[in-house]
Amino acid sequence: QVQLVESGGGLVQAGGSLRLSCAAPGIILSTNVMGWYRQAPGKQRELVADITRDGSRRYVEFVKGRFTISRDNAKNTVYLQMNSLKPEDTAVYYCSARRYLYSSIDYWGKGTLVTVSS
């Protein structure tokens, strides 16, 4: 069974930074589009950013310039560097993997909670 394991969440003040990590099996990391989603209380899960096998990145508008997604194939890890955090960034952040950019998600992690205080 494929496991994606997130870490790095926590409590941070507005304006602060956090780096999330997602550990994934090497074969998954090298053959899938890896992404980060988030789900705030009472809201639907939404895409934050994703990165393709060749390193192309895509961000949603509300995190552009603040968040950076990256992958380290040698460490089998995908990262989400989050800077200039805002209270509205508070959510559970999930790592994801899918075969193609517009295909359905094949694998989800269990999530890591990020809380940004004002």
Side-chain angles (χ1 to χ4, degrees):
Q1 185 174 355
V2 173
Q3 283 191 317
L4 306 180
V5 181
E6 304 96 335
S7 61
L11 174 64
V12 63
Q13 288 189 329
S17 299
L18 281 176
R19 188 177 79 159
L20 305 183
S21 300
C22 171
I27 187 64
I28 296 298
L29 202 72
S30 62
T31 60
N32 281 259
V33 177
M34 303 300 296
W36 287 97
Y37 283 72
R38 72 185 187 187
Q39 187 167 17
K43 295 188 177 181
Q44 289 189 329
R45 194 172 298 189
E46 60 185 358
L47 175 67
V48 175
D50 54 26
I51 183 167
T52 63
R53 290 178 290 276
D54 64 0
S56 298
R57 296 168 174 83
R58 184 175 58 166
Y59 300 94
V60 294
E61 192 63 35
F62 53 77
V63 304
K64 283 182 179 179
R66 298 190 299 126
F67 291 10
T68 302
I69 189 171
S70 62
R71 62 196 300 160
D72 186 334
N73 290 342
K75 295 184 178 180
N76 295 337
T77 302
V78 177
Y79 301 100
L80 185 68
Q81 178 66 43
M82 306 187 295
N83 299 328
S84 302
L85 283 161
K86 305 175 181 180
E88 50 264 43
D89 294 318
T90 294
V92 177
Y93 284 72
Y94 297 91
C95 182
S96 69
R98 54 183 160 186
R99 192 67 180 90
Y100 303 104
L101 194 57
Y102 296 105
S103 61
S104 58
I105 302 294
D106 294 308
Y107 306 107
W108 289 102
K110 292 184 178 180
T112 185
L113 176 62
V114 172
T115 303
V116 184
S117 63
S118 58

